[in-house]
Amino acid sequence: MLAITQKMLHAMYTSDPEVHRVHSTEDMSAFEWYIAPYRVDGLDFHLDLIRGGGNGSPSRLDMLTPRVQVHGETAIVCYTLLKTTLSETGPAEFSRINETRVFVKQEGVWKMAHLHKSPAA
């Protein structure tokens, strides 16, 4: 599950929507406080976001303290995402986001059904 999550993160930051299409349900839902103050439903929103450049281009992405729980055909992946952006003119910038992804197994493929992000202190 961590490999799929890392693949999805990489795809978000390199504008590769096909990875998300393969590993997300059509009716996925997401809470992302920095995008909207309410739940966003449907895969199309995220595919458009990825096509438009995703979430910028950090120099480095690290999944801190990842945890995977598998319960039958449902899996929960949670971690803190540390995004590092290096600059030639100033100090490195860091942002931290707590993320939880819920995956379900459909026809033998793990697909993300829900994503929840919250700011990390």
Side-chain angles (χ1 to χ4, degrees):
M1 295 310 311
L2 287 179
I4 293 170
T5 301
Q6 288 172 328
K7 213 188 287 189
M8 293 179 83
L9 286 169
H10 181 75
M12 172 61 82
Y13 293 98
T14 58
S15 301
D16 183 357
E18 193 53 35
V19 171
H20 275 263
R21 183 183 307 285
V22 169
H23 289 291
S24 298
T25 62
E26 287 291 325
D27 66 346
M28 69 161 285
S29 57
F31 284 108
E32 298 173 281
W33 92 98
Y34 57 92
I35 292 175
Y38 48 83
R39 188 189 70 238
V40 175
D41 294 329
L43 176 59
D44 287 339
F45 174 84
H46 284 88
L47 295 179
D48 288 343
L49 180 66
I50 294 166
R51 282 186 204 101
N55 284 341
S57 54
S59 306
R60 180 182 173 117
L61 293 172
D62 292 288
M63 290 174 63
L64 307 178
T65 63
R67 181 177 184 201
V68 178
Q69 298 166 275
V70 179
H71 302 279
E73 297 200 346
T74 302
I76 303 162
V77 178
C78 60
Y79 52 92
T80 298
L81 180 64
L82 175 63
K83 293 176 11 177
T84 305
T85 303
L86 300 175
S87 168
E88 292 181 20
T89 60
E93 293 182 24
F94 302 96
S95 64
R96 294 155 304 280
I97 303 169
N98 293 321
E99 298 192 5
T100 301
R101 295 172 185 251
V102 178
F103 290 86
V104 294
K105 200 171 209 180
Q106 293 182 343
E107 299 176 11
V109 177
W110 286 103
K111 295 189 174 229
M112 184 177 66
H114 181 72
L115 167 65
H116 190 112
K117 297 183 180 188
S118 60

